[in-house]
Amino acid sequence: MSMSVAVKEAWWLTCFAEQQAKPDWLRQLQLEEHNNFLARGLPLRRDERWKYSDVAFLEKENYRPATLLDEEHGRTQAAAKHAALPESIFIVMVNGCFSPALSQLAKLPAGVVLCSMRDALTQHGDLLKKYLLPAAASAFANLNMALLTDGIFLHVAENVTLTTPLHVLYLNAQQSHIVSSPRHLFVLEKSARAVILEEHSAQGQDNYFTNIVTDVHTAANASLKLFKIQNDSRAATHFSQTVVQQSKDSAVEIFHLAVGAKFAREDVFVNLNEPGAHADVNGLYFLNHDAQHIDHHIQIDHKAPHGSSNMLYKGILDQQSHGVFNGKIFAHPGAAKTRSEQANHNLLMSKAAVIDTKPEFEIYADDVKCAHGATVGQVDAEALFYLRSRGVDAHTALKMLTFAFAENVLARITEPAIAQYMHNIWDGISR
């Protein structure tokens, strides 16, 4: 995108100018990333990755940096969420800023370090300089680093198992037209284990922009389960990029439930860098109001032999909504014995709903086993008639069929408590 006057005068310049002083190395990195973003500009639809998602509307917004929400107000919301999943360690982000007062840091076991990105800058600078690298893959990752406000730093030591899930709750309320740019870094050392549930929740219909980048590093034989619920306000914009780097025999499980926001984009890059690494990447999206747009771009790179991956995403689209799915799997040269499957299935509940789906494989290695496919359809009329003929009312019959469609992917969640929590949320929003 050329540097137009509109871009030069856009809100991100003001937000960057208001950034506070930070360590010199980070300030320099932010300046470089800001310049990279300005040089790139917003992606255009002629870019294949953005062919079906027009982000030009962002130039017309007037966002300002987020400020910390009153924590007493946040405490009420947080308590209700925690009561629904009590068997977890509660971590709270308020308008993109880490809130120690609302978090349960005392429940963390020995060998686990969890703190705000702000504290990590001074207390764990060496690790951050090693892992907090420029994100060259995306203009919005550049923007995230340029406008970095806060985030979570998690380090799990070698052979340590974080047996209780971390429930990271993002509260966005009481403020409109704000931008928050959390940057997270999760590092699991050799044979470490952790489970994280990331939940985005909002009250009201505020228009805000959340732009998140998460970097994940799993050492040899480490295991991370990363679940996410995106239930932002209907006027919100939600962008997220997750980059996973896997070492030998490590395992990563990712599950996304996307139901909120007016415009959402989820980019996931999983790199199986060493032999024996495994990744499960699954998701369910539900669009049920006009002009809602949710875009998932998932890429898994097999860079070493004997790696395996599974990808299953399902979507239910209603009203005049638009869904986008692109799943891409690479088997790089030398990645022999790769085993990989991917599928995307969509159910259209309205004639006005649209889905653009594109599963892809690129194979440059011998002796691999890969499969992929996509389907788009409507509710089975015969199945609906059968239920109605047995005395089931139309609304209940439709709900039963959509639940059966979604259950196949929800069943892939391997943590029972989180699976039940996801089911409860799904049941609430799919009524």
Side-chain angles (χ1 to χ4, degrees):
M1 180 177 179
S2 61
M3 283 292 292
S4 64
V5 174
V7 172
K8 290 180 180 179
E9 296 179 352
W11 53 267
W12 44 75
L13 291 178
T14 302
C15 291
F16 181 74
E18 294 181 10
Q19 292 284 71
Q20 297 179 355
K22 295 182 174 70
D24 290 341
W25 67 268
L26 179 61
R27 185 61 181 171
Q28 181 60 35
L29 179 57
Q30 286 188 291
L31 178 60
E32 293 172 3
E33 291 294 88
H34 186 247
N35 290 336
N36 288 339
F37 172 74
L38 293 180
R40 269 192 165 130
L42 296 176
L44 299 176
R45 296 183 68 177
R46 64 172 176 243
D47 181 340
E48 183 64 26
R49 290 182 58 84
W50 295 89
K51 182 177 180 180
Y52 302 107
S53 295
D54 187 357
V55 296
F57 70 92
L58 287 173
E59 285 189 86
K60 302 175 184 178
E61 295 289 353
N62 187 26
Y63 294 119
R64 63 187 189 280
T67 57
L68 190 64
L69 177 71
D70 175 63
E71 289 187 329
E72 283 305 313
H73 178 83
R75 194 180 303 278
T76 303
Q77 299 177 58
K81 288 290 183 181
H82 184 50
L85 189 63
E87 53 280 286
S88 63
I89 299 174
F90 216 43
I91 307 297
V92 181
M93 301 284 294
V94 179
N95 286 346
C97 296
F98 181 74
S99 174
L102 299 180
S103 301
Q104 299 174 321
L105 300 180
K107 295 176 67 174
L108 293 170
V112 176
V113 174
L114 190 151
C115 64
S116 71
M117 187 60 72
R118 291 179 179 180
D119 289 342
L121 292 171
T122 56
Q123 300 172 13
H124 306 282
D126 291 341
L127 273 176
L128 259 63
K129 281 187 281 188
K130 179 180 178 180
Y131 291 111
L132 197 65
L133 302 175
S138 163
F140 291 104
N142 298 142
L143 183 62
N144 168 273
M145 177 58 77
L147 303 182
L148 175 67
T149 51
D150 203 353
I152 294 173
F153 172 70
L154 172 68
H155 182 269
V156 185
E158 184 174 337
N159 295 318
V160 171
T161 297
L162 186 53
T163 55
T164 305
L166 297 176
H167 185 179
V168 183
L169 177 65
Y170 296 76
L171 298 179
N172 291 278
Q174 289 190 325
Q175 293 186 19
S176 187
H177 289 88
I178 60 171
V179 56
S180 60
S181 303
R183 183 71 177 248
H184 306 314
L185 175 59
F186 304 151
V187 179
L188 278 67
E189 301 292 358
K190 184 178 179 181
S191 300
R193 302 283 187 272
V195 178
I196 301 172
L197 170 61
E198 173 185 336
E199 181 177 5
H200 297 260
S201 179
Q203 293 183 339
Q205 299 301 320
D206 290 329
N207 173 5
Y208 54 84
F209 178 27
T210 301
N211 182 28
I212 306 171
V213 172
T214 302
D215 292 309
V216 176
H217 297 263
T218 57
N221 201 42
S223 172
L224 175 65
K225 298 180 180 182
L226 185 59
F227 306 100
K228 178 175 180 178
I229 300 169
Q230 187 274 105
N231 193 15
D232 282 304
S233 90
R234 288 192 173 188
T237 300
H238 180 106
F239 282 22
S240 175
Q241 176 175 297
T242 302
V243 181
V244 180
Q245 306 290 347
Q246 292 188 238
S247 298
K248 183 179 179 181
D249 296 327
S250 65
V252 170
E253 176 184 345
I254 296 174
F255 188 95
H256 290 150
L257 175 62
V259 297
K262 181 178 182 179
F263 191 106
R265 167 80 176 215
E266 196 81 40
D267 282 290
V268 179
F269 300 91
V270 180
N271 299 280
L272 286 69
N273 297 316
E274 296 181 356
H278 175 78
D280 280 306
V281 186
N282 305 301
L284 175 65
Y285 45 95
F286 179 51
L287 292 72
N288 68 342
H289 54 271
D290 289 342
Q292 187 178 17
H293 182 103
I294 295 181
D295 181 344
H296 287 87
H297 269 65
I298 317 298
Q299 181 171 313
I300 300 178
D301 285 81
H302 288 264
K303 299 180 178 180
H306 298 283
S308 58
S309 65
N310 296 298
M311 184 195 306
L312 174 62
Y313 273 74
K314 285 193 169 187
I316 300 175
L317 295 86
D318 203 350
Q319 307 300 324
Q320 194 172 349
S321 62
H322 185 191
V324 180
F325 175 84
N326 179 246
K328 180 175 286 189
I329 296 179
F330 286 90
H332 290 260
K337 304 293 184 180
T338 288
R339 299 292 182 266
S340 182
E341 293 184 1
Q342 70 158 310
N344 176 234
H345 303 299
N346 298 277
L347 189 61
L348 301 182
M349 309 294 291
S350 163
K351 292 183 179 180
V354 176
I355 178 67
D356 291 293
T357 177
K358 186 181 180 184
E360 300 178 82
F361 264 108
E362 291 193 24
I363 301 173
Y364 303 99
D366 296 325
D367 194 12
V368 302
K369 185 178 180 180
C370 302
H372 70 293
T375 60
V376 179
Q378 297 175 325
V379 173
D380 188 332
E382 290 187 7
L384 188 60
F385 176 79
Y386 176 83
L387 290 172
R388 295 298 311 279
S389 70
R390 295 303 186 270
V392 180
D393 66 86
H395 176 77
T396 303
L398 196 60
K399 183 174 174 60
M400 290 172 66
L401 292 174
T402 56
F403 178 83
F405 177 81
E407 178 60 23
N408 176 254
V409 66
L410 287 169
R412 294 196 171 200
I413 301 172
T414 59
E415 289 291 316
I418 293 178
Q420 185 59 55
Y421 190 74
M422 290 269 198
H423 274 90
N424 292 341
I425 290 178
W426 171 252
D427 188 58
I429 58 95
S430 61
R431 292 182 185 279

